[in-house]
Amino acid sequence: MAAGLCACFARGAEAPAAVPLAPALPRPTFTGTPLDVRSPHREPYRGEGVPPPPLLVPAGTRLLSGGCAVTSSDARAKRRDLALATDGDKQYSPSAYLELAPGVQWVQLDLGTQAAIHAVCLWRERPEQCVYRDTVVQVANDPAFKAGVTTLFNNDYDNSAGHGAGQDKEYYEDHFGKRVPGNGARARYVRVTGNGNTSDPYNHVTEIEVYGDVQLAVEPEARPPPARALTRGPRFHWRAYYDKLLTDPSDRYVLCNQVDFEGRSPTADDVLRVGMVDMRDGDRWIELGASRAWNWQQGCMLQWVPGSDCEVAWNDREGDRFVMHILDVKTRQRRTLPYPFYCLSPDGAWALAPDFRRLNDTRPGYGYAGLPDPNRDVLAPADEGLWRIDLKTGERRRLFSLAEVATIPFVGPPELAFTAGSKHWFNHLLINTDGTRFFFLHRWRQKGETGRFITRAFTVGADGKDLHMLIPSGKVSHFVWRDAAHITAYAGHPDTGEWRFCVFEDQSRNVEVVGEGVLTWGDGHITYVPGTDNEWVLNDTYPDKQRLQRPHLFHIPTHARVPLGEFLSPKGYTGEWRCDLHPSCTRDGRAVLIDSTHKGGRQVYRIDIGAIVKPDAAKP
């Protein structure tokens, strides 16, 4: 996989020429012959004024660390002292270096964004020339240095600092500084660890400089794979939501919606055609049925029933109620259940649903026209909530109501809290990968407001018990279950409140960030690429100032982002009838499906990614 990833980045780009790194040097502080430090792990003394061998870096490499934020393991270190490590002054003086407590301590630099790091230079020269012990230089995109850590230098030969036994040599400090190759490692954070020196037990830093190239890490030079149109006009087509099963188990058929108009809200009389495209027979359209319960963002919830190779399900309206159809696409036998659904369990035995009448009132584009909300004027009704539906019997039961969840206190920022005048609803439900729990959003709009709403997220057992407030901040958007115990969501980070793609461990407070410094384009519809051991994620963006939307892949181990193209969203596609890309993968993880309007109307497209994420796998 690594070879394929490198090949993908390399197409169409020539490696820049290598040039010697030439950092500005301070005046020598120590002169003469240093004391003999007896250690079999020390490199030989080069001699007074003898420079180290040149370190070659790509042409265009620049200083990235000047004035960047610095933190340390020493709680006593003050911010003004930490700033000395990146202030540009490498000249030793008693007041111009950072001193940390004895023992194992580290200094960490935050470059502000991910970069391709080509060199880390370290100055610690003192009048009494010495050797610093257990020097370890590491880089990562995780500020806690718990995941994705790359070690660039380690002379801790006996692992006394706890980062593994190193093979690099100890060395005498001098005014040339220590120049550590970065090898193009992609990272945002740089950490330098030490454990005292041969003169005293303290740790010191005069200056740390990090050299690299931000653009190389964030925007690799690669030609995106082509997008193949699966549907065509004059009618318009799109799929259901990005988190549904949209292809059959063989990945031959993709389910699609079809209408003959755009640019307005659906009415109760507008009929949507339900069908599937045969991707192995000239992208032939196969009609399956119709629906009068649909919206622009999620269609009629059309999806394959999990565990079945022939059954598909979608919502419809019959008379004065919304219903669910389950169709066998081989026999064409259809059965109808008396309630609509939102998501299906992994075994295809049961489903969940909110009240689509209330969704149409509170969040147009996600509910269905045709039936008014009987509780339109009730802020948190006791007879509306989340429902579990048995797909065999058609029976349903309410797990809990809006009124019940609205009694649970809000513990996020006080200015976001719901009040007695707030209107509540449920949105976006998803069952975990083993069917034991599900995730849902509780949303509310403050009195007098019409657009803005606030969100918190819960998980709960499949039986409606063991409710857990997973994301209480009031800032939650798109999400996906990574596995049965972890949710990845674009949300406010619990520590900072800043929007990030975070992995939340269910029923705990454990959180980690995905794509720090790389996935910086804002909200997106994130999922994991099947068959890649959760190493690859698929994501997209909303239109930028040029109205371009960008699907992309992100490789978690290497922090590499791979663009999959740019797709124009014309100005008319806004609000309720916008066309999000909603990227999703085929079940084998070898292709991405998107909805796009870049050719003048919403249609479905396929982008093959097998050569990127599975370069060594045989093609089907």
Side-chain angles (χ1 to χ4, degrees):
M1 179 166 62
L5 181 62
C6 292
C8 169
F9 287 169
R11 286 195 299 270
E14 295 183 0
V19 298
L21 182 69
L25 299 179
R27 300 185 307 277
T29 299
F30 177 85
T31 58
T33 302
L35 295 174
D36 184 20
V37 175
R38 297 184 180 275
S39 169
H41 304 281
R42 177 178 59 77
E43 64 184 29
Y45 178 56
R46 293 193 309 273
E48 184 176 349
V50 178
L55 174 60
L56 299 180
V57 296
T61 294
R62 62 186 180 87
L63 178 66
L64 304 175
S65 55
C68 74
V70 181
T71 55
S72 171
S73 57
D74 187 351
R76 303 177 313 161
K78 297 180 181 179
R79 182 178 299 180
R80 66 173 181 271
D81 295 329
L82 292 170
L84 295 171
T86 59
D87 66 354
D89 185 0
K90 305 166 191 172
Q91 190 64 55
Y92 169 82
S93 77
S95 61
Y97 68 87
L98 170 65
E99 182 175 84
L100 302 180
V104 177
Q105 301 287 351
W106 51 258
V107 174
Q108 182 169 310
L109 278 58
D110 179 359
L111 303 179
T113 187
Q114 190 203 87
I117 295 174
H118 301 314
V120 178
C121 299
L122 175 62
W123 282 268
R124 297 183 293 191
E125 189 188 22
R126 301 175 67 196
E128 63 283 15
Q129 192 175 42
C130 60
V131 172
Y132 280 85
R133 301 296 196 187
D134 303 338
T135 299
V136 182
V137 180
Q138 297 174 307
V139 297
N141 283 289
D142 175 11
F145 276 72
K146 293 181 179 180
V149 178
T150 299
T151 299
L152 303 180
F153 181 90
N154 183 352
N155 66 15
D156 177 14
Y157 62 88
D158 60 0
N159 193 27
S160 55
H163 296 299
Q167 302 300 313
D168 296 298
K169 299 295 186 181
E170 295 180 327
Y171 60 92
Y172 286 111
E173 299 290 338
D174 59 25
H175 76 290
F176 292 106
K178 185 62 179 178
R179 304 173 189 183
V180 177
N183 303 317
R186 291 178 168 86
R188 171 174 174 171
Y189 301 96
V190 178
R191 181 178 286 191
V192 177
T193 301
N195 190 9
N197 65 84
T198 53
S199 294
D200 59 50
Y202 292 92
N203 297 276
H204 306 97
V205 172
T206 304
E207 189 76 10
I208 301 173
E209 288 188 337
V210 181
Y211 291 85
D213 185 341
V214 173
Q215 288 302 110
L216 181 61
V218 177
E219 296 290 350
E221 292 293 334
R223 177 177 297 176
R228 163 185 147 201
L230 298 180
T231 61
R232 296 166 179 82
R235 293 184 173 88
F236 307 104
H237 304 83
W238 75 106
R239 300 157 300 127
Y241 215 38
Y242 70 101
D243 58 3
K244 312 304 180 190
L245 284 178
L246 301 178
T247 59
D248 72 301
S250 73
D251 284 325
R252 175 171 181 167
Y253 303 101
V254 56
L255 297 171
C256 299
N257 310 296
Q258 182 189 86
V259 295
D260 58 7
F261 72 93
E262 287 188 296
R264 63 170 174 82
S265 302
T267 69
D269 297 325
D270 287 321
V271 176
L272 173 145
R273 309 307 301 179
V274 171
M276 61 185 182
V277 171
D278 186 343
M279 293 186 287
R280 298 180 192 169
D281 186 14
D283 302 330
R284 178 171 57 94
W285 170 263
I286 302 171
E287 189 149 325
L288 301 176
S291 174
R292 289 177 173 81
W294 62 277
N295 56 59
W296 289 114
Q297 297 308 307
Q298 300 172 324
C300 56
M301 291 296 178
L302 177 63
Q303 58 193 275
W304 292 88
V305 176
S308 172
D309 65 352
C310 59
E311 286 190 325
V312 300
W314 72 90
N315 290 331
D316 194 3
R317 189 183 81 251
E318 292 185 347
D320 62 353
R321 68 186 311 146
F322 295 125
V323 300
M324 175 199 326
H325 298 311
I326 300 178
L327 173 73
D328 186 314
V329 299
K330 295 180 180 178
T331 67
R332 292 297 173 128
Q333 291 184 339
R334 193 181 81 178
R335 57 193 178 98
T336 299
L337 304 184
Y339 304 104
F341 75 104
Y342 191 100
C343 59
L344 301 174
S345 64
D347 61 2
W350 54 279
L352 292 171
D355 193 315
F356 286 96
R357 301 171 300 180
R358 190 168 189 84
L359 267 179
N360 197 53
D361 173 42
T362 56
R363 193 85 200 282
Y366 294 88
Y368 303 144
L371 300 177
D373 179 11
N375 289 303
R376 179 186 179 94
D377 297 324
V378 182
L379 299 177
D383 59 347
E384 285 189 17
L386 293 183
W387 304 80
R388 174 169 169 152
I389 306 159
D390 188 306
L391 296 190
K392 183 176 181 180
T393 66
E395 296 177 352
R396 76 167 184 170
R397 63 185 180 92
R398 190 174 65 237
L399 300 178
F400 42 82
S401 69
L402 277 167
E404 290 173 304
V405 173
T407 64
I408 301 173
F410 178 69
V411 295
E415 65 272 16
L416 301 181
F418 47 81
T419 66
S422 301
K423 188 171 184 176
H424 301 255
W425 71 94
F426 293 137
N427 207 173
H428 295 311
L429 328 174
L430 193 61
I431 302 166
N432 71 354
T433 56
D434 66 5
T436 56
R437 295 179 66 77
F438 67 90
F439 180 98
F440 68 92
L441 302 183
H442 168 213
R443 287 179 160 163
W444 61 93
R445 183 172 287 119
Q446 307 293 31
K447 184 177 181 180
E449 294 190 352
T450 57
R452 177 175 176 264
F453 52 81
I454 302 164
T455 309
R456 61 179 176 176
F458 290 85
T459 61
V460 64
D463 57 0
K465 299 178 181 179
D466 196 17
L467 188 68
H468 173 68
M469 192 189 307
L470 184 66
I471 309 176
S473 64
K475 299 170 68 173
V476 195
S477 188
H478 299 100
F479 59 88
V480 69
W481 284 96
R482 187 187 74 183
D483 50 52
H486 297 85
I487 278 277
T488 300
Y490 189 65
H493 192 282
D495 295 337
T496 66
E498 295 180 353
W499 287 98
R500 293 289 187 274
F501 286 101
C502 300
V503 180
F504 296 87
E505 183 179 34
D506 192 15
Q507 297 181 287
S508 84
R509 295 184 178 180
N510 296 331
V511 181
E512 61 183 79
V513 175
V514 174
E516 181 69 38
V518 181
L519 299 182
T520 56
W521 285 335
D523 196 1
H525 304 87
I526 193 167
T527 56
Y528 288 84
V529 178
T532 64
D533 296 325
N534 293 331
E535 289 189 353
W536 286 92
V537 295
L538 171 65
N539 198 23
D540 68 344
T541 68
Y542 283 97
D544 61 15
K545 292 181 179 179
Q546 289 75 44
R547 301 290 301 169
L548 294 175
Q549 298 171 288
R550 295 178 172 89
H552 51 277
L553 295 165
F554 176 72
H555 189 230
I556 295 174
T558 63
H559 252 68
R561 181 175 58 200
V562 182
L564 297 179
E566 297 178 338
F567 297 85
L568 179 67
S569 176
K571 291 183 178 180
Y573 292 93
T574 58
E576 178 188 340
W577 44 83
R578 69 186 183 276
C579 183
D580 298 341
L581 296 177
H582 288 159
S584 64
C585 282
T586 52
R587 298 202 199 191
D588 64 4
R590 296 189 62 85
V592 169
L593 304 173
I594 63 170
D595 304 327
S596 178
T597 56
H598 66 284
K599 291 190 176 181
R602 71 184 70 211
Q603 302 294 348
V604 180
Y605 296 83
R606 172 181 172 130
I607 304 171
D608 290 326
I609 61 170
I612 301 172
V613 301
K614 300 181 179 182
D616 301 322
K619 293 185 178 181

